[in-house]
Amino acid sequence: MADPTRKTPPLQVIREGNPGKRPVSEGVRVPPAELSEPDWTDTFADVPGEQRAVNARCREVASREWQRVVPVLEFTAGIGTVDTATLTDYCICVARIDQCEREISANGILMQGERGWQKNGATTIVGQYRTQLARYIGELGLSPSARGRLTPPDDRGGEDDGIFD
């Protein structure tokens, strides 16, 4: 059942019609910008020892996620420079989830500790990162339901005036 207190997203009102003829909120618009990928070595430092390979993989995963998501968000959400920190945190979160999942795969969910079998600490950490990732997905409009709540940017370079022409 739908929540009667929650407003219908503007794009959904346009798509499904507005029989009550209530005014449709335009939402907040930010000036679109070309976002430059951050230097991942600031976050995942090039340290000596076995952590070097782990951080190198985190840099690779974060960079790959940035390159996958930014073009889509520039088109669908019209992200601007104010969104750089959120997007950077999203990519770090994806990289850390990958790191934790690799740790769990290598050492198992349970580990032998001083007091017997204990839960691998990476399972707790990955749960926290997944919770945060769900928030970022909602903020950035990266799921189907979150995209429905976004107002697309006005100028998408097309010739059509209507959204659904």
Side-chain angles (χ1 to χ4, degrees), residues 57 97 109 126 148:
R57 177 164 173 94
I97 289 172
I109 294 174
V126 78

Side-chain angles (χ1 to χ4, degrees), residues 6 9 11-12 15 137-138 141-150:
R6 189 168 135 191
L11 187 57
Q12 183 179 351
R15 185 173 46 238
I137 287 171
L142 295 173
S143 71
S145 63
R147 280 192 296 275
R149 293 189 297 270
L150 288 179

Side-chain angles (χ1 to χ4, degrees), residues 92-107:
I92 291 170
C93 193
V94 169
R96 292 298 187 195
I97 289 172
D98 178 74
Q99 179 183 0
C100 287
E101 289 297 342
R102 291 175 64 79
E103 160 68 22
I104 293 167
S105 294
N107 297 317

Side-chain angles (χ1 to χ4, degrees), residues 116-133:
W117 289 99
Q118 298 174 342
K119 183 169 75 169
N120 186 340
T123 58
T124 303
I125 295 168
V126 78
Q128 293 169 342
Y129 273 115
R130 287 192 188 280
T131 300
Q132 192 61 39
L133 182 69

Side-chain angles (χ1 to χ4, degrees), residues 14-41:
I14 293 168
R15 185 173 46 238
E16 296 176 356
N18 189 4
K21 305 293 183 219
R22 292 182 200 93
V24 178
S25 170
E26 288 296 319
V28 177
R29 304 222 186 264
V30 295
E34 285 283 324
L35 298 182
S36 58
E37 186 173 352
D39 182 11
W40 298 112
T41 55

